[in-house]
Amino acid sequence: MELVSRLSQNMYGGKRIVSPKTTLDNIMHLMSNVNLFKVSNMVQFEASIFIAYANICGQNSTGVGKGMNDDCAKASAIMEMIERYSGRTYQESRIVRNSFANLSNKALDPKKIIFDYDELYNENAVIDFVEGYMLNKKTPIMVPAVFAYYAYNCQLIDGKLEYTKGGIKTVLSTNGLASGNCIEEAILQGLYEVIERDAVFSMWLNKMPTADLENFHGVNEYLDCILSEFEKKGIDIKVKLIKNDIDCVYNIFCFMINKNCKNDMITFAFGCGTHSDPEIALSRAISEVGQIAVSLSIQRKQLADERFRKNCDEQHIATLMKFDELSQLDELSFLLDESEKIDFKTLHNYSQDDILTEINKLYEELERNGLDTIVVDLTSPELNIPVVRVLVPGMQGPIKQGLSGIYTDRLFQYPERFGQPRRRIEELNTFELI
C-alpha cells in the first residue's frame, strides 16, 4: 500500500485536504439521486444534522452526518452512506478461501477479534479472507473477510439477523470503517475512530470516573451555537476528558441530561470525539451528542409506528427506552460524581499538517503499546471514493448484543493503569452505550 504526504487544514471539525463544499461538489455528480433531509428540524433543534438516502448501483443506502454548517453535515452524511455501501460490496476476485492453519504466518488470527472463539470457529475451518496491509510492519496480511467488510455474511430480515453464508457467524460493527477525499484521510479517520472506541468503552464498561473539562466556551462559533441550543432547551451538558495510554491524543466524551419534559428531546445522549487537536476532538464530541440526541428522539417518536417497531429488535427498543428514564441516573453516577477539573484552554495541539506524518505518529504509538495497525482498502471500483477498514487487534471495541464483541485484556487492565483495581466480568457496566 503506497501512501503519500497530504497537506491538510483544520476545516470545520476535521483535518481535510479540501473543503466540505468541494467534497460535496466532487461526489454529487456520482449520485444525482441522493435525497438529503435536515432531520434536526424534526425535533426543533437548531443544528446541522442531515440524513442521506440513495440507491447506489442497485443497493439502497443511508448515512447520517453532522457538521459545523449544512455543507459539512451533507458531505458527512453522503460519505457515511458511501462507507456503508463500500463496506457491504466486495469483488469475488479478491476473496481467498482457506483456513487460518494454512495461512497462519500470513494471516490475522480470528481469535484476536472474536470472543466465543471455540463456539464460532476453529483454525482448520475454511473461511473467506481478503488481503489487507499492516502499516507498522509494512507488509501484506490476509484478513478474515467477515472482519473487513460490514455485514459480509448476513442480513436483517424482519428485524432479525439471518446468516446467509458459512464461515464465522458473527458481525463486526462499523468501527474503523471510514471514507475520505484520499486514502490517507480515510485511514486517519479510521484510526481515530478505533482509538476513540477503545478509550470510551474501556471507561464506560469499567465505570471509571473521568476529569471534567471546563472553560471550553468561546472555542469556536459553531460550538457556542450548539451549546446555546442545548441551554435554550434547558438541557445540561457535561464534557469529560477520558484517560488513555495513547499519547498525544485527546478522547473527549460529552454527556447530555434533559430534565425538561416540555421539549421534544430524549432524556440522555452521549457523544465522543478523538483527535490530537483538542478543538477538533471537542467539536466532534459536542456535535455527535447533538446528532445522537436528535436520532434517539426521532426513534422514540417512531416507536408508535408499527412498521418501525417491526424492524427493531426488542433489545434495541429496551435500550432506547432506558435512554428516556431519569431513574437510570443511578447507573451513571460515575459520570456525575465530583472529579478532577481541567481547563480546556491548557490542552496542547499535537496535530500535524501532513496527514501521513499524523498516521505514522499514531501507528508508531500503537506499536509502542504492543498493537499492530491493519488497513483493508474497501474502495468500490464503481465509485472510486476511498473507503477503508482500520483494525487494531487487541483494542477494545463496542460491546453490543447481537454483534461480535471481545472483552480484551486492555479492558481489564484499564483501571490498573490508573491505580484502580480491575473489575470482574460480572462487575462491568451493563447499560448499553448507543
Side-chain angles (χ1 to χ4, degrees):
M1 179 176 284
E2 293 292 331
L3 303 180
V4 299
S5 293
R6 303 276 190 177
L7 291 180
S8 66
Q9 296 179 6
N10 181 352
M11 295 185 188
Y12 307 99
K15 299 296 286 291
R16 303 284 185 263
I17 61 170
V18 297
S19 70
K21 176 66 167 63
T22 301
T23 299
L24 208 52
D25 291 343
N26 289 342
I27 58 180
M28 284 303 284
H29 77 276
L30 294 171
M31 300 183 183
S32 57
N33 65 340
V34 169
N35 295 298
L36 287 157
F37 300 95
K38 194 168 186 176
V39 292
S40 43
N41 290 343
M42 295 173 67
V43 288
Q44 290 78 53
F45 189 78
E46 289 299 321
S48 294
I49 303 169
F50 279 78
I51 187 167
Y53 299 91
N55 186 284
I56 306 175
C57 303
Q59 289 191 33
N60 292 324
S61 295
T62 62
V64 181
K66 77 278 187 187
M68 299 176 77
N69 58 38
D70 283 0
D71 281 345
C72 293
K74 289 176 182 178
S76 175
I78 295 174
M79 292 296 268
E80 181 175 275
M81 183 175 64
I82 291 168
E83 286 172 21
R84 302 298 166 86
Y85 168 77
S86 301
R88 292 195 308 266
T89 309
Y90 65 94
Q91 295 78 52
E92 187 66 32
S93 60
R94 292 190 65 188
I95 302 301
V96 174
R97 292 183 171 88
N98 211 324
S99 68
F100 175 70
N102 287 339
L103 296 174
S104 59
N105 61 336
K106 300 176 183 177
L108 170 64
D109 187 348
K111 74 180 180 182
K112 293 186 176 180
I113 304 290
I114 60 176
F115 180 45
D116 295 320
Y117 179 72
D118 293 329
E119 294 181 20
L120 293 172
Y121 172 77
N122 72 77
E123 64 178 18
N124 293 307
V126 174
I127 62 171
D128 293 355
F129 288 87
V130 63
E131 186 174 274
Y133 188 78
M134 193 179 295
L135 287 181
N136 53 306
K137 299 289 195 299
K138 295 183 171 53
T139 184
I141 183 169
M142 300 306 294
V143 177
V146 71
F147 302 141
Y149 297 99
Y150 177 60
Y152 176 74
N153 62 345
C154 64
Q155 59 188 39
L156 203 62
I157 301 173
D158 293 334
K160 294 184 179 179
L161 203 62
E162 300 285 347
Y163 289 100
T164 55
K165 292 184 182 181
I168 303 173
K169 289 181 169 55
T170 190
V171 185
L172 203 64
S173 72
T174 58
N175 189 25
L177 191 63
S179 58
N181 294 291
C182 59
I183 195 165
E184 291 82 9
E185 242 187 49
I187 290 171
L188 184 62
Q189 174 63 24
L191 266 170
Y192 276 130
E193 184 168 276
V194 171
I195 292 169
E196 173 193 292
R197 303 291 168 80
D198 172 73
V200 169
F201 279 88
S202 294
M203 175 275 291
W204 182 265
L205 291 168
N206 281 293
K207 297 187 271 193
M208 284 284 287
T210 53
D212 289 317
L213 271 183
E214 299 184 320
N215 198 23
F216 51 81
H217 290 78
V219 170
N220 63 51
E221 184 179 349
Y222 164 75
L223 288 180
D224 283 350
C225 285
I226 196 167
L227 288 167
S228 174
E229 188 65 18
F230 280 122
E231 188 175 344
K232 282 191 295 184
K233 288 184 172 292
I235 296 172
D236 295 330
I237 293 290
K238 292 181 73 69
V239 179
K240 316 286 281 185
L241 183 63
I242 301 174
K243 295 176 180 178
N244 202 4
D245 59 349
I246 308 301
D247 291 342
C248 306
V249 170
Y250 298 105
N251 300 285
I252 295 179
F253 184 82
C254 190
F255 177 28
M256 179 201 97
I257 308 173
N258 177 23
K259 297 181 181 180
N260 182 2
C261 61
K262 295 181 180 179
N263 61 45
D264 293 331
M265 303 296 281
I266 200 87
T267 303
F268 301 119
F270 309 94
C272 321
T274 291
H275 207 277
S276 50
D277 180 336
E279 182 177 336
I280 293 177
L282 180 67
S283 297
R284 289 180 174 176
I286 291 178
S287 59
E288 185 172 89
V289 79
Q291 175 186 324
I292 298 297
V294 166
S295 176
L296 294 180
S297 300
I298 292 170
Q299 288 182 53
R300 181 186 60 181
K301 284 185 173 183
Q302 291 174 324
L303 286 177
D305 186 334
E306 187 59 33
R307 292 170 300 176
F308 177 79
R309 292 186 73 99
K310 184 180 178 182
N311 288 309
C312 282
D313 63 72
E314 291 303 316
Q315 175 64 27
H316 179 75
I317 293 172
T319 301
L320 179 61
M321 298 312 296
K322 283 182 72 173
F323 274 72
D324 210 26
E325 298 173 8
L326 271 175
S327 61
Q328 299 298 325
L329 271 178
D330 290 343
E331 288 194 47
L332 305 174
S333 60
F334 65 100
L335 295 173
L336 302 171
D337 293 343
E338 191 69 23
S339 57
E340 177 189 3
K341 312 294 183 188
I342 295 178
D343 187 333
F344 177 81
K345 293 184 170 62
T346 65
L347 302 181
H348 181 73
N349 181 359
Y350 294 104
S351 68
Q352 307 291 319
D353 291 335
D354 184 352
I355 291 178
L356 182 58
T357 301
E358 194 143 336
I359 291 170
N360 293 342
K361 178 187 69 176
L362 289 175
Y363 77 64
E364 288 168 1
E365 177 63 18
L366 291 168
E367 188 172 41
R368 186 182 68 81
N369 283 272
L371 300 164
D372 293 323
T373 302
I374 297 169
V375 174
V376 183
D377 187 351
L378 302 181
T379 304
S380 163
E382 293 87 358
L383 301 178
N384 200 32
I385 295 173
V387 174
V388 300
R389 168 80 82 170
V390 175
L391 298 166
V392 182
M395 289 203 108
Q396 184 59 48
I399 299 291
K400 181 174 173 62
Q401 185 169 342
L403 296 180
S404 97
I406 179 171
Y407 292 99
T408 63
D409 290 340
R410 279 179 62 80
L411 171 67
F412 295 105
Q413 293 164 0
Y414 182 79
E416 294 177 323
R417 293 202 295 270
F418 305 106
Q420 301 291 323
R422 69 164 59 199
R423 290 180 179 270
R424 299 187 300 272
I425 287 181
E426 59 269 22
E427 295 176 317
L428 296 177
N429 194 356
T430 58
F431 194 122
E432 188 171 297
L433 182 61
I434 297 180

